[in-house]
Amino acid sequence: MKHLIDPTDLSKNELEEIIDLALDIIDNRQKYSEVCKGKKLATLFYEPSTRTRLSFTAAMMELGGNVLGFSDAKNSSVSKGETCADTTKVINCFADIIAMRHFEEGAATVSAMNSNIPVINAGDGSHSHPTQTLTDLLTIKREIGRFDNITIGFCGDLKFGRTVHSLIKALSMYSGVKVILIAPEQLRLPDYMKEEVCDRYGVEYREVDTMEEVMGDLDVLYMTRVQKERFFDEDEYDRVKDFFILDAEKLKLARPEMRILHPLPRVNEISTDVDADPRAAYFRQVENGKFVRMALIAKLLEWAKDPSKTTKLVPDDAVRGKFICRNKRCISNMETGVESLFRPAHDNSGGYRCVYCESKPK
């Protein structure tokens, strides 16, 4: 069965099939109005979401399908102690495809392991958010026209930002991509991302302290929020916070063809005086999310009929039952019956990483 748990679950060809289909849907919406007639999407949202949940709902409805599910874990049997695996097995009786948002990292992986229908990861903790990545890629394609040979600056929380990690993974499939990492010391991109993704796949990157020093070099500026709660010292947060707010004055340094993306919601990291600038693509990005999710749903339902289309959920070299994950939010530490799975790390540590959340063992 083909699932989408992480951007790396899609080959470059599969990713481009989805993007190309989304572009065709945009140009020929009536053509796709009954593609999913008689099909049901289950939206299992264990934590709050506005854009992602409504985007999936709108996508399935525009394809002519139906939607069922829940938008809060309190409204599901998880409040009675039901595991993610059992919930998935139940939902398999009612739906044709699942979109899951969960606070436990690795929950979508466990769901896919227990599912006979496609599972889409709509965000698992701070781990991965592959449909936001597809949204970002469609936006880059429509705004910039290419994925190869672009310079993209990621600004804000690069340590915990699942959208940042997922997009860097996807862009690693393309040539000539340059990544500029704009973040305070406390929120810089984790070393394992630099080693396992950038170094391994030849993605050129550099780290800088302010957006002003690189603004003129960028094709895309990807903004995220600098999270006050990640700082132990409030004075340190106050010292750096204004460096990472984009306003009209800073935007004067950017090229006319540069585009600004943001996964939203924003707080104060993009001033409202930027919204009217044609380079601000973040609200267009939201609508692109609906179109690309339409394409993803249609493709996964098509691939479900093809036994050659599968997602490898457990690597062949995975180690079973030997380690305990150090991440308290990992599903292997939060739910009973979840097998410990670790794969060799593709970084300089020579150790292992959890299959569910990519953390190291205790």
Side-chain angles (χ1 to χ4, degrees), residues 19-86:
I19 296 297
D20 288 345
L21 179 56
L23 292 170
D24 195 53
I25 288 171
I26 291 168
D27 291 337
N28 302 282
R29 292 174 66 174
Q30 190 58 39
K31 173 182 170 183
Y32 295 92
S33 62
E34 294 190 355
V35 165
C36 288
K37 186 176 181 179
K39 299 293 185 180
K40 292 183 283 294
L41 167 71
T43 54
L44 311 184
F45 277 65
Y46 289 77
E47 64 177 5
S49 170
T50 302
R51 276 153 300 281
T52 304
R53 184 174 61 85
L54 294 181
S55 180
F56 269 112
T57 299
M60 191 58 166
M61 291 174 69
E62 289 205 25
L63 291 170
N66 297 303
V67 182
L68 53 90
F70 54 82
S71 59
D72 189 330
K74 294 176 183 177
N75 297 326
S76 76
S77 288
V78 71
S79 62
K80 303 174 185 176
E82 185 173 68
T83 65
C84 181
D86 282 359

Side-chain angles (χ1 to χ4, degrees), residues 86-191:
D86 282 359
T87 297
T88 300
K89 291 172 184 176
V90 169
I91 297 301
N92 269 236
C93 301
F94 305 137
D96 300 286
I97 187 169
I98 292 171
M100 173 183 282
R101 162 73 60 88
H102 208 293
F103 52 87
E104 294 174 359
E105 296 173 16
T109 300
V110 170
S111 179
M113 288 174 173
N114 291 276
S115 184
N116 296 317
I117 60 176
V119 174
I120 301 169
N121 182 5
D124 59 332
S126 61
H127 176 228
S128 187
H129 196 350
T131 64
Q132 180 62 51
T133 299
L134 291 174
T135 299
D136 300 338
L137 290 172
L138 178 59
T139 305
I140 291 171
K141 184 72 171 180
R142 296 188 75 190
E143 299 285 338
I144 305 295
R146 67 186 189 280
F147 300 131
D148 293 310
N149 303 310
I150 66 168
T151 299
I152 179 168
F154 292 95
C155 182
D157 179 2
L158 312 188
K159 183 175 183 179
F160 299 100
R162 62 189 175 191
T163 59
V164 172
H165 300 177
S166 292
L167 184 52
I168 291 174
K169 285 180 181 179
L171 289 173
S172 71
M173 290 189 273
Y174 294 90
S175 62
V177 174
K178 296 179 182 178
V179 170
I180 299 179
L181 306 168
I182 312 160
E185 184 71 32
Q186 298 92 329
L187 297 177
R188 288 192 170 176
L189 193 73
D191 287 341

Side-chain angles (χ1 to χ4, degrees), residues 201-229:
Y201 296 106
V203 178
E204 182 181 330
Y205 71 91
R206 62 186 172 115
E207 296 178 307
V208 299
D209 295 323
T210 67
M211 67 179 79
E212 290 93 326
E213 60 192 288
V214 296
M215 190 73 82
D217 301 330
L218 302 178
D219 297 300
V220 177
L221 175 61
Y222 195 99
M223 294 294 299
T224 65
R225 178 171 65 95
V226 175
Q227 301 179 70
K228 184 177 182 179
E229 61 269 25

Side-chain angles (χ1 to χ4, degrees), residues 160-357:
F160 299 100
R162 62 189 175 191
T163 59
V164 172
H165 300 177
S166 292
L167 184 52
I168 291 174
K169 285 180 181 179
L171 289 173
S172 71
M173 290 189 273
Y174 294 90
S175 62
V177 174
K178 296 179 182 178
V179 170
I180 299 179
L181 306 168
I182 312 160
E185 184 71 32
Q186 298 92 329
L187 297 177
R188 288 192 170 176
L189 193 73
D191 287 341
Y192 85 86
M193 279 293 300
K194 299 172 195 173
E195 295 166 4
E196 289 208 341
V197 181
C198 296
D199 293 343
R200 188 182 183 193
Y201 296 106
V203 178
E204 182 181 330
Y205 71 91
R206 62 186 172 115
E207 296 178 307
V208 299
D209 295 323
T210 67
M211 67 179 79
E212 290 93 326
E213 60 192 288
V214 296
M215 190 73 82
D217 301 330
L218 302 178
D219 297 300
V220 177
L221 175 61
Y222 195 99
M223 294 294 299
T224 65
R225 178 171 65 95
V226 175
Q227 301 179 70
K228 184 177 182 179
E229 61 269 25
R230 303 297 187 186
F231 287 80
F232 294 110
D233 184 343
E234 189 167 336
D235 290 338
E236 179 66 11
Y237 168 76
D238 289 336
R239 186 182 70 81
V240 302
K241 64 179 182 179
D242 291 339
F243 291 148
F244 305 98
I245 296 176
L246 178 65
D247 55 28
E249 188 64 27
K250 291 176 183 174
L251 199 51
K252 290 178 181 178
L253 301 170
R255 302 198 305 263
E257 64 272 19
M258 189 269 277
R259 291 295 183 267
I260 306 155
L261 273 62
H262 192 305
L264 301 178
R266 68 171 164 187
V267 182
N268 68 335
E269 62 276 7
I270 300 179
S271 173
T272 55
D273 64 10
V274 173
D275 292 355
D277 193 294
R279 290 169 289 190
Y282 33 89
F283 290 117
R284 298 193 293 274
Q285 188 179 353
V286 173
E287 187 174 28
N288 286 332
K290 179 187 68 174
F291 294 127
V292 85
R293 289 181 176 102
M294 290 173 71
L296 175 63
I297 290 167
K299 276 294 176 185
L300 285 177
L301 288 172
E302 174 190 325
W303 291 338
K305 303 171 187 175
D306 183 351
S308 70
K309 289 287 189 181
T310 60
T311 298
K312 197 168 193 63
L313 298 169
V314 182
D316 291 334
D317 54 0
V319 176
R320 298 174 181 270
K322 183 177 179 180
F323 303 112
I324 298 173
C325 183
R326 67 168 60 174
N327 178 8
K328 294 180 180 179
R329 290 173 60 91
C330 179
I331 194 167
S332 65
N333 288 323
M334 298 186 76
E335 293 195 3
T336 59
V338 177
E339 183 181 26
S340 167
L341 291 170
F342 281 78
R343 60 164 178 81
H346 302 294
D347 57 22
N348 298 326
S349 70
Y352 290 85
R353 291 200 174 275
C354 179
V355 168
Y356 305 108
C357 72

